[in-house]
Amino acid sequence: MSKQLSTPILFLIFNRINTTQKVFEKIKKAKPKELYLASDGPRKTKAGEDEVVNNVRNWVLENVDWDCNIHTLFRETNLGCGKAVSQAITWFFENVEQGIILEDDILVSDSFFPYMETLLNHYKDNEHIMHITGHNPLTISKNGEASYYFSHNMHCWGWASWRRAWQKYSFNITNIHDFCKTRAFKNSFKMISARNEWECIFDMMEKHEIDTWDHQWNYCIQFNQGICINPCKNLITNIGFGADATHTCGEVTKLQDRFEINEIVHPKNIKVIDKYCKKINIETLGIKKTTPVVAFKYYLRNYIKPFFHKS
């Protein structure tokens, strides 16, 4: 990868030097002209974490050995995953029109960066496209000769977007259940069991029972009837599973394979492939297929009971 990357990168770091070093080696290969570094502050409840966090920050800064502009957002106090990450992304898009967001545990293929840059430029004026990811949860998906496909499913393990899209984001969201009755919600989640699952997730998100930012971004995309782009071949491996992780604490028996996409072939039409959305919900998110009982309970709760309450 000899050509210097013109697309800005936001690199989200914290307290894991081992994964940070591996991911940063991939960034060094791309040599971005603009590098944004964001780090949440150390937690007061974790003894010695201030030194660990500072060591990670300093290591990254000391190892930028190419010509680039470095921008930093280093917090002194801990905001938590939800606010720290979402505010860092907002800061990023206040300064750039489009860019790539990479966390400290997402190891990417060499072709990940040129793939992202190409698609960011290709769809920069198409407001329907809101999110590009390097992650394919199904590992390999076929879309004719094309290199990627369109989806309702948002995946944030190595992704990119535009200011025009992120401006629609809100950390605090209300009226979730009203949205879940709209056609936009039904179009995004064709399976009734998936609607049930996501309505529960969005409800917890609205109440801030989950310290996260990505469910809000997913909601924002669905609310605006946006479209996501998934690669036909997976381009990332999440190496962050383990005891020191914030959210991916569980063990995995096998890390997901990643591949290269060297020649990018664009699909002929912009059309969401529903069969892959359904397969992702079932196989990777653990959502069960809709049964008659699930369907009946869904319609009872959302249509029959509200009708009698109005009467």
Side-chain angles (χ1 to χ4, degrees):
M1 190 186 298
S2 56
K3 181 182 176 182
Q4 187 173 22
L5 188 74
S6 59
T7 300
I9 294 177
L10 169 62
F11 189 32
L12 299 164
I13 58 178
F14 187 43
N15 65 356
R16 292 185 288 178
I17 190 64
N18 291 334
T19 62
T20 298
Q21 289 173 336
K22 292 175 182 177
V23 176
F24 189 72
E25 286 303 312
K26 293 292 186 176
I27 294 175
K28 284 180 71 171
K29 281 188 176 182
K31 296 181 173 62
K33 295 178 182 178
E34 301 286 337
L35 179 61
Y36 288 75
L37 300 172
S39 170
D40 198 5
R43 293 165 290 187
K44 292 182 179 180
T45 56
K46 299 287 184 179
E49 189 168 72
D50 53 345
E51 182 179 357
V52 175
V53 168
N54 284 327
N55 286 341
V56 173
R57 295 174 180 180
N58 291 333
W59 184 90
V60 173
L61 291 172
E62 291 167 2
N63 281 274
V64 178
D65 59 2
W66 70 94
D67 184 24
C68 80
N69 296 316
I70 303 173
H71 315 264
T72 59
L73 180 64
F74 292 164
R75 302 288 188 182
E76 293 184 5
T77 57
N78 187 271
L79 299 179
C81 179
K83 288 184 178 179
V85 174
S86 61
Q87 290 181 16
I89 298 169
T90 297
W91 164 71
F92 183 51
F93 283 119
E94 285 173 348
N95 290 281
V96 304
E97 290 286 343
Q98 61 186 39
I100 298 166
I101 297 92
L102 199 59
E103 296 182 64
D104 62 359
D105 56 2
I106 305 301
L107 195 60
V108 302
S109 300
D110 289 341
S111 57
F112 170 87
F113 294 111
Y115 166 83
M116 287 292 180
E117 185 166 86
T118 298
L119 295 191
L120 281 169
N121 292 331
H122 189 74
Y123 292 105
K124 64 181 180 181
D125 297 321
N126 189 329
E127 297 205 0
H128 294 291
I129 310 296
M130 295 182 66
H131 181 94
I132 307 166
T133 185
H135 181 211
N136 182 346
L138 303 174
T139 303
I140 295 179
S141 308
K142 298 289 186 181
N143 187 20
E145 298 298 318
S147 303
Y148 57 91
Y149 65 95
F150 300 99
S151 174
H152 289 305
N153 297 91
M154 186 284 296
H155 308 290
C156 58
W157 290 353
W159 62 285
S161 189
W162 302 263
R163 177 190 294 170
R164 60 162 173 79
W166 188 258
Q167 284 176 336
K168 297 178 171 65
Y169 180 88
S170 177
F171 184 72
N172 298 303
I173 297 173
T174 58
N175 300 320
I176 291 295
H177 297 290
D178 289 340
F179 169 68
C180 292
K181 296 175 184 177
T182 64
R183 185 174 296 276
F185 180 73
K186 295 171 188 174
N187 285 340
S188 295
F189 304 106
K190 299 293 177 64
M191 296 169 55
I192 290 176
S193 53
R195 293 178 206 165
N196 274 332
E197 182 73 17
W198 280 105
E199 188 169 359
C200 290
I201 292 172
F202 288 155
D203 180 69
M204 290 188 290
M205 172 198 73
E206 181 178 7
K207 296 173 182 175
H208 291 292
E209 294 176 353
I210 314 171
D211 181 24
T212 190
W213 62 273
D214 56 330
H215 289 325
Q216 289 94 324
W217 179 225
N218 190 13
Y219 175 88
C220 168
I221 294 171
Q222 312 311 331
F223 184 84
N224 291 282
Q225 300 185 60
I227 297 173
C228 304
I229 293 177
N230 293 359
C232 286
K233 293 181 180 179
N234 180 52
L235 298 176
I236 70 95
T237 301
N238 189 321
I239 58 173
F241 290 86
D244 59 345
T246 302
H247 290 113
T248 51
C249 300
E251 295 183 2
V252 289
T253 55
K254 182 180 182 296
L255 294 178
Q256 191 176 9
D257 292 333
R258 65 181 185 274
F259 303 88
E260 301 291 347
I261 298 179
N262 296 313
E263 181 184 358
I264 298 174
V265 179
H266 300 292
K268 295 179 181 178
N269 301 304
I270 299 176
K271 185 179 180 182
V272 170
I273 300 183
D274 288 320
K275 68 176 182 179
Y276 288 149
C277 296
K278 181 178 180 180
K279 195 172 183 181
I280 288 170
N281 279 320
I282 293 172
E283 294 187 8
T284 69
L285 299 181
I287 297 174
K288 296 180 179 179
K289 294 181 180 180
T290 302
T291 64
V293 173
V294 170
F296 174 75
K297 288 182 178 179
Y298 176 83
Y299 283 105
L300 178 66
R301 184 183 74 244
N302 289 282
Y303 298 99
I304 300 175
K305 284 186 178 180
F307 175 78
F308 283 107
H309 283 308
K310 288 180 181 179
S311 305

